[in-house]
Amino acid sequence: MGKKWVSKKGNVFISIFFEINQKKINFKQYAVLNACILRLVISSLIKKKIQIKWPNDLMYNSDKICGILQEVINLNTKTLLIVGVGVNTNSAPIIKNYKTSSLSSIVKKKIDNNKILKEIIKNYEKFIFLTKKKNFSELK
């Protein structure tokens, strides 16, 4: 849609992709679930309440701390969802007409990016496993 991904060195950027069945969970439902997973991970690590700004931002006190993008691609006979995540861990980018913050400025200490990455991966591995057994309502 012509949007730019803006952040600074030292933050967390990750792309996760996995096979999906859109008859079971559709594209828009994945957007909700992705935001919920990432809110859970970040709020548990910084011990603060994080809000979801639909459709793809996580906020703390009206400041953006995380952006989430997703795209579906078809590869041979498989449908894959690519989830792009950017978390402002240790610095806040300057975005025109948008207030941003970083996790380190919220908790007043440097954030260990490896710890956040491990938690994101662990939560997505569990989530991907559960998508094979549960529907949207059960996952949410």
Side-chain angles (χ1 to χ4, degrees), residues 8-23:
K8 292 185 175 182
K9 185 177 179 177
N11 290 331
V12 169
F13 312 99
I14 185 172
S15 293
I16 303 160
F17 68 96
F18 50 94
E19 188 174 359
I20 62 170
N21 177 351
Q22 287 198 87
K23 291 177 184 159

Side-chain angles (χ1 to χ4, degrees), residues 57-84:
D57 292 333
L58 296 183
M59 313 291 280
Y60 177 76
N61 289 343
S62 75
D63 293 346
K64 182 175 178 171
I65 56 168
C66 176
I68 309 159
L69 299 174
Q70 68 178 37
E71 179 179 356
V72 172
I73 62 167
N74 293 303
L75 183 64
N76 301 323
T77 60
K78 297 181 180 191
T79 302
L80 302 172
L81 181 69
I82 303 171
V83 182

Side-chain angles (χ1 to χ4, degrees), residues 77-126:
T77 60
K78 297 181 180 191
T79 302
L80 302 172
L81 181 69
I82 303 171
V83 182
V85 178
V87 183
N88 300 340
T89 52
N90 291 299
S91 64
I94 298 170
I95 302 173
K96 188 178 178 182
N97 301 322
Y98 223 98
K99 287 176 52 184
T100 64
S101 186
S102 68
L103 303 183
S104 64
S105 67
I106 295 166
V107 298
K108 309 291 188 241
K109 66 179 184 178
K110 185 167 172 52
I111 299 298
D112 181 347
N113 287 341
N114 287 324
K115 186 175 181 180
I116 287 189
L117 283 170
K118 285 178 187 176
E119 286 300 311
I120 291 171
I121 291 165
K122 180 174 83 173
N123 279 269
Y124 265 94
E125 285 174 345
K126 181 180 176 183

